[in-house]
Amino acid sequence: MNITTDPPADWRDDIFAALQAADIRQVGYVPDAGHSRLIERVHADPNIRAVSLTTEEEGVALAAGAWLGGQRSALLMQSSGVGNCINMLSLAKACRFPLTMLVTMRGEWAEFNPWQVAMGSKTQAALELMDVLVYRVDDAADAGETVAAALDIAFNGSLATAVLLSQRLIGAKRWVK
Amino acid sequence: MSIIGSNQPRLDRRAAICVLLAERGDLLVVTGLGSTTYDAASVADDERNFYLWGAMGGAAMVGLGLAIARPDRPVLVVTGDGDTLMGLGALATVGVQAPPNLALAVFDNGRYAETGMQPSHTDSAVDLVGVARSCGIEAAFDIADEDALADFARRVQRKERTLFARVAIHADEPPRVLPPRDGVLLKNRFRRATGVEGA
């Protein structure tokens, strides 16, 4: 490892460590700036299959298939993607598939783009309407532990969980450089 | 314009599913919402079938997750044109991942049979074999006879590359054969029958 160029470890690495500790073997994702470092680490891990998706709902179905085949998975997305998942979440609910969604939040903290606010402000409510258990991370120190806890509940209880990673934690997107 | 007009040869859907599942070996099967679930159940309510009773558009992706998790087994998704059209992006995702043990068979009658036989996009403009190829699934076949379908079924068993078949079927509704609808039961018995319970 080249220490001079690698960025210092941070909460994204804590989340990656939680995925590894939970024996996550498939990670579905829609490319996202907030998750970019986590996505890179997933791609670099030969024990994890990274599956880039065209839309987030594909990932809910992917997770179901992975579980049918005996593998644990996680699903990464931005808050806008939660809206794309709603009907597909019926698959998790009807069959009690374990599911953990890691959601980077937009539209809630120093947001530049008002189009993100519509879904971002309703992300938690939409998930809870579909009986997904929702946890929220505002403090970087809590990220790894919260993701580990959400994975535990999902796989021990055959339940759907989501961890919302707040926009304040991630840092508001910079539009003017 | 109809690219699959009434003159095109078509298979009986129940005959077609029998060809696909006749010698299934250790094949794992995922079916899509609607008629393909009844088709698979009409052959046998095998515990290694996972039937979707909802989640329209999700069949191919369930198959992808399963195929990645079980590289030791051939995985066949049997679904309809309506389910495929609703999740067309999944063909792109499958094309990128390209698991050699995954096959998709789309029973295409150009109709939404479940809701009253309304025409689907494949009845006029959309060629699913062309879509699959454009998504990188090069081994994509347009099948309208039992010999070609039997050959496809043998390829599925070989697990050599990702396969796609558009299977032209008649727009009819054979008597429904309804497998269990309890999703938890379907999930648990599938895992038990395929040796992953407790994983």
Side-chain angles (χ1 to χ4, degrees):
Chain A
M1 189 197 302
N2 186 340
I3 320 172
T4 56
T5 55
D6 280 353
D10 70 2
W11 57 272
R12 297 166 183 85
D13 302 294
D14 297 339
I15 291 176
F16 181 69
L19 297 183
Q20 285 185 313
D23 193 28
I24 296 300
R25 303 290 304 281
Q26 296 188 35
V27 173
Y29 70 92
V30 171
D32 168 54
H35 277 313
S36 60
R37 177 160 171 169
L38 182 58
I39 290 167
E40 285 168 15
R41 295 213 57 185
V42 164
H43 270 279
D45 186 333
N47 291 318
I48 301 179
R49 179 72 162 257
V51 180
S52 179
L53 311 166
T54 70
T55 175
E56 293 80 357
E57 67 189 288
E58 288 178 8
V60 178
L62 180 82
W67 183 249
L68 287 174
Q71 286 192 342
R72 296 173 168 213
S73 68
L75 174 56
L76 316 183
M77 69 183 71
Q78 196 176 93
S79 48
S80 50
V82 169
N84 293 345
C85 292
I86 298 300
N87 183 57
M88 200 59 77
L89 286 170
S90 62
L91 176 61
K93 185 174 175 179
C95 305
R96 286 191 63 189
F97 278 112
L99 176 69
T100 297
M101 308 157 74
L102 306 183
V103 182
T104 54
M105 293 303 298
R106 291 287 307 271
E108 64 169 19
W109 182 266
E111 177 63 62
F112 170 84
N113 181 354
W115 293 44
Q116 286 283 356
V117 177
M119 192 65 228
S121 63
K122 300 298 179 195
T123 297
Q124 180 158 355
L127 288 165
E128 288 174 345
L129 270 175
M130 293 306 288
D131 291 331
V132 176
L133 296 169
V134 180
Y135 307 91
R136 188 177 165 86
V137 177
D138 290 298
D139 185 336
D142 296 334
E145 203 171 40
T146 306
V147 170
L151 291 165
D152 271 350
I153 288 191
F155 292 109
N156 290 332
S158 294
L159 294 167
T161 64
V163 178
L164 307 187
L165 303 164
S166 80
Q167 193 168 12
R168 191 177 188 186
L169 169 74
I170 295 158
K173 182 169 179 172
R174 301 203 181 284
W175 286 84
V176 184
K177 295 187 178 174
Chain B
M1 182 196 72
S2 177
I3 58 168
I4 53 167
S6 54
N7 294 332
Q8 190 197 357
R10 287 172 179 278
L11 285 164
D12 173 83
R13 61 185 311 145
R14 292 288 160 82
I17 194 74
C18 282
V19 171
L20 284 173
L21 301 184
E23 295 170 43
R24 64 182 284 167
D26 56 7
L27 183 69
L28 308 179
V29 173
V30 176
T31 63
L33 173 63
S35 305
T36 51
T37 281
Y38 318 143
D39 292 337
S42 76
V43 178
D45 179 28
D46 194 303
E47 295 191 341
R48 299 165 301 169
N49 294 346
F50 187 76
Y51 312 108
L52 294 182
W53 278 96
M56 189 165 171
M61 288 302 300
V62 173
L64 177 61
L66 177 59
I68 291 170
R70 294 302 304 262
D72 57 322
R73 298 282 191 105
V75 175
L76 174 66
V77 175
V78 186
T79 190
D81 46 303
D83 175 74
T84 304
L85 288 164
M86 191 171 282
L88 215 50
L91 293 182
T93 300
V94 166
V96 169
Q97 294 297 323
N101 59 327
L102 177 62
L104 310 175
V106 179
F107 281 15
D108 184 4
N109 56 9
R111 295 287 183 278
Y112 291 94
E114 194 72 11
T115 55
M117 289 290 174
Q118 299 89 344
S120 81
H121 291 8
T122 64
D123 189 50
S124 50
V126 176
D127 162 23
L128 289 176
V129 175
V131 173
R133 286 191 181 138
S134 297
C135 289
I137 308 172
E138 289 166 18
F141 308 95
D142 202 351
I143 291 175
D145 69 82
E146 290 194 15
D147 286 346
L149 192 59
D151 183 57
F152 180 80
R154 285 188 290 273
R155 282 173 186 258
V156 172
Q157 294 289 341
R158 293 205 290 268
K159 308 193 295 282
E160 289 171 348
R161 62 194 303 198
T162 305
L163 301 172
F164 180 93
R166 175 228 173 213
V167 182
I169 57 159
H170 292 293
D172 60 3
E173 281 188 282
R176 289 183 180 175
V177 179
L178 306 182
R181 293 189 298 280
D182 179 344
V184 177
L185 170 76
L186 293 170
K187 173 191 70 173
N188 287 338
R189 72 178 198 168
F190 184 97
R191 284 167 51 88
R192 213 167 29 242
T194 57
V196 301
E197 187 62 54

